[in-house]
Amino acid sequence: MSDISHHQAVVPEKLVQGKPHARGWNLAVLGVLPSWLLMGFALIIPILIIVAVSFSVRGAYGGFDWGFDLAGYKQILFNEGWSGEIEFTPQYLVIILRTLLLAGVTTLLCLTLAVPVAYYIASQPPFRKALLVYLVTLPFWMSMILRVYAWMIILGRDGPLPQFLQFFGAPSGLTLMYNDGATLAAMVYTYIPLMVLPVFASIEKLDGTLIEAAHDLYGSRWTALRRVILPLTAPGIASGAILVFVPSLGAVLEPILMGGGKQMMMGSLIQLQFGGGRNWPFGSAIAVMLMIFVMIVLVLIALRARRKEVAA
């Protein structure tokens, strides 16, 4: 009789304890459901559509027809000759390598310029620091195409920079437009705020006594930068490098407007396939390959950061 009464006392207690737990779990799921739906419609579904289009069949009059075909991926490296044989065509591989090189140089230049700028901002008093951060973010308040057109005026014929060079003996009518240098200058200007802000956030958290200790130990400014500042701000540098490198891979405006479209990049190649080329499967295949490469880079960076955390 005592065992029965003990069992009856225990079971209702478990049921009473389980209800709040289940209610809390349901509230947690329902609470984040709008976020999951938004991510699904805004991010996951468009990516799945692009992946599906990359495996589809090119339409007879452009666009695509639903089906399964690997022609879009084969076209990246191979092409069908006049007699029907498959030939290796490195032209698109050259475009991919050129894009990777330009994005890497853009990231390196942004990092080189952003570190001293971020360090200077972090060393200022609070009011001046807030003002300088505001000025760094100010270009984002204007349309990107207007910023690129501003650089077209600066570098174009009879622009301020060519006239400045003519003062030192450069030939008249000089233009600095429509080459890789102009494209690189516009990309660095466009993306450097994305590098300055995370590096500034890391330097601001840096303990200044460590830098003073490096100088007390007769370390030069270069030694303090190399042995103290850069290692301790590595997370911010990595975040800035990702924020600059990834959009640089898909840049379209700068190669077309500043480079004159002479050197094809991956972004302009994708835009061409969805426009005048009317080859949506091939354009989608290039976009998927670009996305896979970016994911591989991000995973490698995450694994490297994870190994450093474990080692620390």
Side-chain angles (χ1 to χ4, degrees):
M1 183 63 184
S2 61
D3 295 339
I4 295 176
S5 60
H6 175 71
H7 179 72
Q8 290 176 344
V10 170
V11 172
E13 184 179 356
K14 289 183 176 179
L15 291 176
V16 170
Q17 292 177 350
K19 287 181 179 178
H21 175 72
R23 190 182 301 116
W25 186 84
N26 290 332
L27 288 175
V29 172
L30 293 177
V32 298
L33 185 59
S35 300
W36 282 106
L37 292 176
L38 179 61
M39 291 180 60
F41 282 106
L43 298 177
I44 299 176
I45 291 180
I47 291 175
L48 293 178
I49 291 175
I50 292 298
V51 173
V53 172
S54 70
F55 290 102
S56 63
V57 181
R58 182 181 183 180
Y61 303 99
F64 68 97
D65 296 327
W66 290 114
F68 183 78
D69 194 353
L70 296 175
Y73 291 93
K74 291 179 181 177
Q75 191 175 347
I76 297 177
L77 295 177
F78 302 98
N79 198 5
E80 185 175 349
W82 290 102
S83 57
E85 74 278 9
I86 302 299
E87 300 175 345
F88 174 70
T89 52
Q91 55 182 343
Y92 298 119
L93 187 62
V94 171
I95 294 174
I96 294 173
L97 295 177
R98 182 191 301 132
T99 304
L100 293 175
L101 178 62
L102 184 62
V105 173
T106 301
T107 305
L108 186 61
L109 287 178
C110 286
L111 176 62
T112 305
L113 298 174
V115 169
V117 173
Y119 185 79
Y120 175 77
I121 296 175
S123 61
Q124 297 302 307
F127 175 76
R128 193 180 301 173
K129 185 188 302 180
L131 178 61
L132 292 174
V133 171
Y134 166 78
L135 292 177
V136 169
T137 60
L138 191 61
F140 288 118
W141 296 28
M142 187 184 298
S143 172
M144 180 184 293
I145 191 169
L146 293 179
R147 285 180 279 160
V148 175
Y149 270 108
W151 271 96
M152 293 178 68
I153 296 174
I154 294 173
L155 300 181
R157 190 182 301 274
D158 297 329
L161 187 56
Q163 288 186 355
F164 177 76
L165 295 178
Q166 289 172 19
F167 180 78
F168 292 97
S172 61
L174 175 67
T175 178
L176 302 177
M177 287 288 299
Y178 311 127
N179 51 54
D180 291 340
T183 304
L184 184 62
M187 291 180 65
V188 170
Y189 167 75
T190 302
Y191 299 119
I192 193 171
L194 301 177
M195 179 71 79
V196 171
L197 295 178
V199 174
F200 161 73
S202 295
I203 294 179
E204 194 179 27
K205 297 176 183 177
L206 188 64
D207 189 356
T209 57
L210 297 176
I211 302 176
E212 295 177 1
H215 291 308
D216 292 340
L217 295 173
Y218 302 102
S220 62
R221 292 185 176 181
W222 168 248
T223 303
L225 174 67
R226 185 169 56 88
R227 302 291 296 272
V228 178
I229 298 177
L230 291 181
L232 295 179
T233 58
I237 292 175
S239 300
I242 293 172
L243 292 176
V244 173
F245 184 74
V246 173
S248 297
L249 291 175
V252 177
L253 285 178
E254 294 86 353
I256 293 177
L257 296 180
M258 301 295 293
K262 296 179 181 178
Q263 299 290 345
M264 185 73 71
M265 300 296 172
M266 288 182 69
S268 51
L269 178 61
I270 294 172
Q271 187 269 338
L272 177 64
Q273 299 306 317
F274 280 88
R278 302 178 65 80
N279 191 350
W280 288 29
F282 180 48
S284 299
I286 299 173
V288 171
M289 295 299 295
L290 177 62
M291 182 177 61
I292 291 174
F293 175 78
V294 171
M295 291 178 65
I296 292 174
V297 172
L298 295 179
V299 169
L300 292 177
I301 292 175
L303 291 175
R304 180 179 176 84
R306 179 63 177 171
R307 283 197 297 268
K308 284 188 174 181
E309 289 180 0
V310 173

